[in-house]
Amino acid sequence: MQATQDLTRGQMLMMLLAAPGVRGKEGEPVQGTTRLQKLLFLMEHEAKLKPTKGSDFDFTAWKFGPVSKELYDDLEKLENLGLLESEPVSEPSKTELDEYGLSFDDLMGEEESQSRDSFQEKKYRLSEEGLNWARAQKLDTETFNKIRKIKEKYGALSLQDLLHYVYTKFPRWTTASEIKGKVLRRR
């Protein structure tokens, strides 16, 4: 894996959020923690980029495919530092809606769906301070282009299509998935 110029997990997350997405605009937000998890996973496993300072994302096979439990701590820390903003969205975006009808209950499972009221879909973006930090980094062009390509290519997919891609390309990371059958048979 390529070193990413001594970046931590949080800084890698910030560079992903700072990168242009499908619209070509700097700092396009990412909607949903599941999507963020999969984009970071693809940065590591497809673009071969990995943090070199501190610990890495330590992805494991989980209920919805590869997941890094450390991401939740990083999101909270960056938000507390004023570098990241999250906003609840009342309804999924058009890209989150898919023609295959994976519902919240399908994704979260019976136990979690009982606490539906506590679930809130969030959109993540860097604050102005976070964007200023990212702009000040002297990230080499090759590394930043790899990050940008992951966000552009996979960030615009519906969640169903993103999950399907990860599940088919990286099957060993889906061994604990509770939705694997639903994701793979929808094709």
Side-chain angles (χ1 to χ4, degrees), residues 42-60:
L42 290 169
M43 278 176 55
E44 185 172 310
H45 290 86
E46 204 162 272
K48 307 296 185 204
L49 299 173
K50 172 175 194 156
T52 57
K53 282 173 53 178
S55 58
D56 65 15
F57 284 105
D58 194 25
F59 285 97
T60 57

Side-chain angles (χ1 to χ4, degrees), residues 9-37:
R9 285 190 327 252
Q11 291 168 336
M12 292 269 308
L13 171 59
M14 289 179 65
M15 294 311 289
L16 174 64
L17 290 169
V22 70
R23 292 175 194 88
K25 286 180 55 182
E26 173 189 52
E28 288 180 33
V30 173
Q31 185 165 323
T33 310
T34 301
R35 178 179 304 281
L36 209 47
Q37 289 276 6

Side-chain angles (χ1 to χ4, degrees), residues 1-160:
M1 298 236 173
Q2 175 179 332
T4 52
Q5 300 175 305
D6 292 327
L7 296 177
T8 65
R9 285 190 327 252
Q11 291 168 336
M12 292 269 308
L13 171 59
M14 289 179 65
M15 294 311 289
L16 174 64
L17 290 169
V22 70
R23 292 175 194 88
K25 286 180 55 182
E26 173 189 52
E28 288 180 33
V30 173
Q31 185 165 323
T33 310
T34 301
R35 178 179 304 281
L36 209 47
Q37 289 276 6
K38 301 315 177 249
L39 293 175
L40 288 165
F41 176 81
L42 290 169
M43 278 176 55
E44 185 172 310
H45 290 86
E46 204 162 272
K48 307 296 185 204
L49 299 173
K50 172 175 194 156
T52 57
K53 282 173 53 178
S55 58
D56 65 15
F57 284 105
D58 194 25
F59 285 97
T60 57
W62 196 243
K63 291 182 178 187
F64 320 119
V67 67
S68 169
K69 294 181 180 180
E70 294 82 10
L71 174 62
Y72 299 99
D73 293 334
D74 294 339
L75 289 169
E76 184 177 351
K77 179 181 177 183
L78 292 172
E79 196 159 10
N80 288 339
L81 291 170
L83 299 170
L84 176 124
E85 298 170 343
S86 66
E87 71 178 87
V89 287
S90 58
E91 294 181 24
S93 70
K94 183 165 174 38
T95 57
E96 291 299 330
L97 296 170
D98 69 16
E99 63 274 17
Y100 303 104
L102 263 186
S103 69
F104 175 81
D105 295 335
D106 291 333
L107 288 171
M108 299 307 288
E110 186 176 315
E111 184 178 304
E112 287 87 349
S113 70
Q114 292 172 359
S115 64
R116 175 188 292 267
D117 294 339
S118 66
F119 174 77
Q120 232 176 17
E121 178 75 13
K122 290 186 177 183
K123 184 184 295 187
Y124 300 97
R125 73 169 49 88
L126 290 182
S127 66
E128 193 58 40
E129 185 178 344
L131 277 171
N132 287 336
W133 175 88
R135 288 177 191 127
Q137 298 308 299
K138 302 298 180 210
L139 198 59
D140 71 74
T141 304
E142 180 184 355
T143 299
F144 189 72
N145 282 338
K146 286 181 177 185
I147 294 170
R148 180 187 50 76
K149 284 178 183 174
I150 291 291
K151 187 173 180 180
E152 283 177 355
K153 183 175 181 180
Y154 301 110
L157 295 178
S158 70
L159 186 57
Q160 173 67 27

